[in-house]
Amino acid sequence: MNSKVKKGEVARAVIVRTKRELKRPDGSYIKFDTNSAVMVTKEGEPVGTRIFGPVARELRAKKFMKIISLAPEVL
């Protein structure tokens, strides 16, 4: 198999969902059932081509627009 990531390699990732509550500026909280991350390159582009499940809206402020466009839902 020709994998983009080799076994034992240290990779960069962006956390897209956490079980820990995240407080938003409007005072509301958001938390997910699972923790999830998306592996990214040094430039911030996702390594994979598909993202499963919802992602947090806070990624937009951190300029991860490609991840947001690939995600099926943004909460």
Side-chain angles (χ1 to χ4, degrees):
M1 285 179 25
N2 293 332
S3 177
K4 293 180 183 177
V5 183
K6 305 293 182 243
K7 183 178 177 182
E9 181 182 10
V10 177
R12 293 171 176 261
V14 175
I15 306 297
V16 293
R17 288 193 294 270
T18 61
K19 288 179 108 172
R20 185 169 188 252
E21 287 183 339
L22 180 69
K23 187 174 182 181
R24 292 195 163 156
D26 65 358
S28 64
Y29 288 89
I30 185 168
K31 70 178 185 176
F32 296 93
D33 292 340
T34 59
N35 296 321
S36 287
V38 173
M39 293 176 60
V40 294
T41 62
K42 288 183 179 177
E43 295 79 36
E45 295 294 313
V47 172
T49 56
R50 297 188 303 177
I51 295 176
F52 301 104
V55 298
R57 189 183 324 138
E58 284 73 11
L59 291 174
R60 192 179 304 275
K62 292 188 167 60
K63 306 286 190 257
F64 289 107
M65 301 309 283
K66 184 74 174 174
I67 293 174
I68 287 183
S69 67
L70 291 171
E73 189 176 7
V74 179
L75 298 177

